[in-house]
Amino acid sequence: MSNLLRLLLLATIMAAAATGSAAAGAAEPERPTAPQGYTPGLGEIMTAIQLRHAKLWFAGQAGNWQLAAYEVDELREAFEDAVRYQPDFDGKPIAMLVPAVTSEPLTQLARAIDARSPGRFATAFDRLSQACTTCHQATDHGFIMIQRPLQPPLTNQRFDIPSKP
C-alpha cells in the first residue's frame, strides 16, 4: 500500500472518529472550559517556513553546512507544526498533503548537506521549492509560488563560516 493511500486511509479513520466523538459530546451539557493556549495560524507557520527556506538557501550557498543542516531540521519541525496545528485548513487536508510533498525533498536536502555537495544541494533545494508550490496549487493557493531567494532575508546574520583569528 502506498504511503499516500495509507495517509488517506488514516485520515478517513480519524475523521470518522472525530465525527463520532463530536456526536457523543453533543449529548453532554455544555461546561465552561479553560481558555485554550495560542494556536498559530497557517499563515504564521508558513511565514516561519519561508524564512527558514531562505536562510537554508544562503547557508548552502555559503557552504555553511552546519547552518544548512540546522535549517533543514527547523523546516521539518515547522512542517510538523503545520500538520499539528492546522491539519484541515479551509477544508484542505494539510495533515496529509504536507508530509506527502515535503518528506522526500527534505531527505534529499539532508543527504546533499551531509555530502557537502553544492550541486546536489541546489537540485534538492529546487525540488523542495517546487513541492511547496505544488502543495499551494493543490490547496487553491497557487498564487503563492516558491523560488530561490534573491537576497538574504536578514542583515543581522552571517551565512558564511567566520574565519578563525
Side-chain angles (χ1 to χ4, degrees), residues 3 15 20 29 51 56 73 76 88-89 95-96 107 109-110 131 144 152 158:
N3 285 341
L51 179 61
L56 171 62
D73 286 341
R76 283 186 197 280
D88 183 59
F89 182 77
M96 291 174 20
T107 297
L109 267 165
I144 303 172
R158 289 180 59 177

Side-chain angles (χ1 to χ4, degrees), residues 55-56 59 64-72 157-159:
K55 290 174 66 174
L56 171 62
N64 189 340
W65 302 115
Q66 188 175 5
L67 177 57
Y70 174 80
E71 293 301 342
V72 167
Q157 181 175 1
R158 289 180 59 177
F159 293 96

